[in-house]
Structure formats: structure tokens, C-alpha cells
Amino acid sequence: MSAKLAILFYSTYGTNHRMAGIAADAARTAGAEVRLRKIAETAPDEVVNGQEAWKAQVERMADIETATPADLEWADAYLFSAPTRFGQAPSQVRAFIDTLGGLWSAGKLADKPVSAMTSAQNLHGGQEATILGLYTTFLHWGSVIVPPGYTDPVLYKVGGNPYGYSHTQGDEFDDAACEAIAHQTRRLVRMAEKLSA
């Protein structure tokens, strides 16, 4: 039985878009059915359009469907990818999470595996705090948190983060980075398959 994985990402300049794409490819290779969804932009148009890189990223994602609560209800598992903003997930992600009260109160987010990834401008820019903050939300949902842990040697090549992959803005997506994302995704898919069996 193939798992249904919703990959939900927010990306200002493209890093988390790239991470989500790598994860989607890995999940499909592992046999999962994937919905890749962007989280809606809530910043005012004049702010977005005032920064060429931000505006260009919005245009690059124009063909990707926007995440809705229905995507989480559909899924057997979730993977969130979002940048760090002052040590937390950005307001766009929190706004999306705030739309999930109906699903949460009906128990439709419970017992599903979930994992998270992030990025920041510098190596110690709050990545772990961002992932752990998302995990606190997932605990309230009753979801089953599936971190990468120290379950593959590749994790030591990308900083050894057991909570979830984190990327430093501007670094290349080398083989180790791509494999760390793929490993975390495959682990999540395997857990979803086990829980759905």
C-alpha cells in the first residue's frame, strides 16, 4: 500500500521550495503518492513586489497549488519545510496552521506521522528552535513525530541535526544535502506505510 504524503512548504527566496522538491522526488521514488503544496503568501503585494528576489520566487511557484486543510485530511503523513524567522516558523506557516482547527478538533490530524525541515541565513540562526516549535504544534495535534534522528551516516556530513534537515542559506545543495533530505523523507514514508497497514 503506497503512502499518501503531503509536502507543505513556504519559501521566500527558493531554498525551501528546492528542499520540498528534493523531498517530493525521494518520496515518489519510495513509492508514495505526493501532493506538493505551497503555503499561501500573506505579506502585502507591495512588500513582495518591492524585493526582486522575493517577487521572482513567487513567480517560480505560480504553477504549484496552494495548501488547504483538505490536503492534510487526504494525507497519511505530512512533511513541512519552512525558513526560520527569528527562531520560529514564519507567520505565513502559522497562519496556515491556524486554519486547521476544524480538522484538529475532529481528530483528523491525529495518529499521522509528520516531520519538518527548515533553513536560515546562518548556521546558528534558530533552525533547531524552528523545527522544535513546529513539533510542539504537531504534539497538540496528536501526530507521530518522525525526525531523522541519528539513523544514517549522511546526517554527520550535514551538521548532525537529529531533529530535521536544516539548510544554511547560500550553501550548495550537494549530494550530502540531497541525501539527508531524501533519507528523512524515506523514513517518514516508511512510517506512514507501517501506520496505514
Side-chain angles (χ1 to χ4, degrees):
M1 179 179 176
S2 63
K4 295 184 291 187
L5 176 63
I7 300 175
L8 306 110
F9 74 94
Y10 174 76
S11 195
T12 308
Y13 302 116
T15 300
N16 285 272
H17 180 193
R18 177 79 188 276
M19 291 162 58
I22 293 166
D25 290 343
R28 290 185 186 108
T29 300
E33 185 179 348
V34 176
R35 283 189 185 178
L36 179 65
R37 299 291 189 260
K38 66 185 175 192
I39 292 174
E41 182 59 75
T42 59
D45 288 343
E46 60 269 20
V47 174
V48 174
N49 294 331
Q51 296 185 38
E52 284 304 317
W54 195 347
K55 179 182 176 183
Q57 178 57 30
V58 168
E59 291 169 358
R60 278 192 294 274
M61 299 183 299
D63 63 335
I64 299 174
E65 291 185 46
T66 300
T68 68
D71 294 312
L72 278 80
E73 187 169 7
W74 166 86
D76 298 317
Y78 325 121
L79 177 60
F80 281 78
S81 187
T84 292
R85 293 289 183 270
F86 304 106
Q88 296 294 321
S91 61
Q92 291 86 347
V93 175
R94 299 310 311 181
F96 174 71
I97 287 170
D98 285 346
T99 69
L100 302 174
L103 289 182
W104 167 80
S105 64
K108 293 184 178 181
L109 301 174
D111 303 325
K112 294 183 181 183
V114 62
S115 200
M117 306 184 295
T118 191
S119 66
Q121 186 174 357
N122 54 358
L123 184 59
H124 298 290
Q127 293 101 318
E128 291 179 4
T130 297
I131 291 173
L132 293 173
L134 286 168
Y135 286 172
T136 298
T137 296
F138 305 155
L139 290 170
H140 282 251
W141 293 352
S143 299
V144 179
I145 296 172
V146 182
Y150 291 110
T151 57
D152 191 281
V154 73
L155 297 169
Y156 295 98
K157 296 179 183 177
V158 293
N161 180 347
Y163 310 108
Y165 179 76
S166 62
H167 194 82
T168 302
Q169 183 72 26
D171 284 0
E172 292 296 320
F173 281 96
D174 59 14
D175 290 347
C178 293
E179 179 53 30
I181 294 168
H183 170 71
Q184 182 174 347
T185 306
R186 288 191 300 265
R187 193 162 192 266
L188 180 61
V189 168
R190 284 194 304 269
M191 186 61 70
E193 290 171 345
K194 289 177 181 180
L195 291 177
S196 297

